[in-house]
Amino acid sequence: MDQPVAAAPAPAPATSRSLFVYSLLYGGLVVLAGVLGTKLASLGHWPVLGDLAVESGIFAFLLLVVLSSAVAELHGKDAANRLVRYGFIPLIVSMLLLTFVIHVVPPAPFWDDQEAFARLLGQGARMQFAGLVSYGVSQTLNVYLFSRLAGENLGHERSGMLLMRAWIASMLSQTIDTVLFISISFAGQDLPLISIMEGQIISKLLLSTIMVPPFIWFFVKLGRRLDA
């Protein structure tokens, strides 16, 4: 008697090249943003504004903003929102691993840099929570604003409007990110929070103006080429 033939497995759903590549890059940058944030970078002296400084994680974070906007432009708002939500996974895993390595794993007897390692990469629970909240809110807001400004023309607008939407969404989302992170991290401490926020916001708005328009143009063009 003939044996029944097993049904062939269903093919895996197709994933576009750009979405696959940008998801990998996004996950790595989520982790890298926290590591880079341990260095304060000087942006030089500017007329009227004076000396500007910003935590170096902003360079990776602005690329996250650009990538989520590019995914929204190429694959729609829902895909970009999923990218932001999945970004919590490497972010939380990296926080847990750093906490484990700093506080549980003993350093080798001949290694003398434990204190510097813990000082640079270790964050308290309050700052970790602030990072999660500010990341989730600001990135979701960026996708919402970028998509809402396009309306039904999302994915079909001219390059000039694409750059403008990305720039506006980035500036507003970075402002909210700064307010949330500093407020949650340092509220109740004897610190000039408003002055800290002002300097950080000005620096981030300046970098958004310089970085976001050319990078969004590049990643959208690259994404379309990858998917062609």
Side-chain angles (χ1 to χ4, degrees):
M1 185 175 179
D2 295 337
Q3 295 294 324
V5 179
T15 300
S16 73
R17 289 184 187 178
S18 65
L19 187 57
F20 178 73
V21 171
Y22 289 176
S23 297
L24 291 177
L25 183 58
Y26 190 94
L29 288 171
V30 167
V31 176
L32 187 60
V35 176
L36 293 178
T38 58
K39 175 181 178 178
L40 290 177
S42 171
L43 299 183
H45 183 83
W46 294 75
V48 181
L49 301 178
D51 294 317
L52 295 180
V54 68
E55 47 90 12
S56 298
I58 186 61
F59 297 106
F61 206 88
L62 282 178
L63 288 177
L64 293 177
V65 169
V66 169
L67 285 170
S68 61
S69 298
V71 168
E73 183 74 7
L74 295 168
H75 304 288
K77 183 178 70 173
D78 290 341
N81 281 327
R82 286 195 297 271
L83 183 69
V84 172
R85 290 196 296 270
Y86 293 154
F88 279 105
I89 298 174
L91 184 58
I92 292 173
V93 169
S94 65
M95 288 179 175
L96 292 176
L97 281 175
L98 279 172
T99 301
F100 175 75
V101 169
I102 290 173
H103 298 290
V104 178
V105 178
F110 51 83
W111 191 64
D112 299 326
D113 294 326
Q114 170 69 12
E115 183 178 347
F117 180 83
R119 185 177 67 254
L120 289 175
L121 297 179
Q123 288 186 334
R126 185 173 175 178
M127 291 190 70
Q128 290 181 340
F129 177 72
L132 291 172
V133 172
S134 59
Y135 161 78
V137 173
S138 64
Q139 289 288 72
T140 302
L141 178 63
N142 175 72
V143 172
Y144 171 80
L145 292 173
F146 179 83
S147 305
R148 183 64 181 270
L149 289 171
E152 296 180 355
N153 295 321
L154 184 65
H156 304 287
E157 280 191 323
R158 293 175 299 175
S159 294
M161 291 304 299
L162 168 68
L163 305 186
M164 181 65 69
R165 284 189 287 119
W167 177 62
I168 293 173
S170 173
M171 289 201 301
L172 293 176
S173 64
Q174 287 305 294
T175 300
I176 296 300
D177 173 83
T178 301
V179 171
L180 286 174
F181 183 80
I182 293 178
S183 297
I184 297 173
S185 296
F186 304 113
Q189 300 184 27
D190 187 18
L191 293 171
L193 297 186
I194 301 300
S195 298
I196 296 174
M197 288 182 191
E198 287 178 351
Q200 288 289 300
I201 289 173
I202 292 172
S203 299
K204 290 181 178 181
L205 295 185
L206 178 63
L207 286 175
S208 292
T209 302
I210 295 172
M211 290 181 58
V212 171
F215 274 105
I216 187 66
W217 178 88
F218 171 78
F219 279 110
V220 170
K221 289 289 186 182
L222 177 62
R224 287 174 177 159
R225 181 177 291 271
L226 288 171
D227 294 337

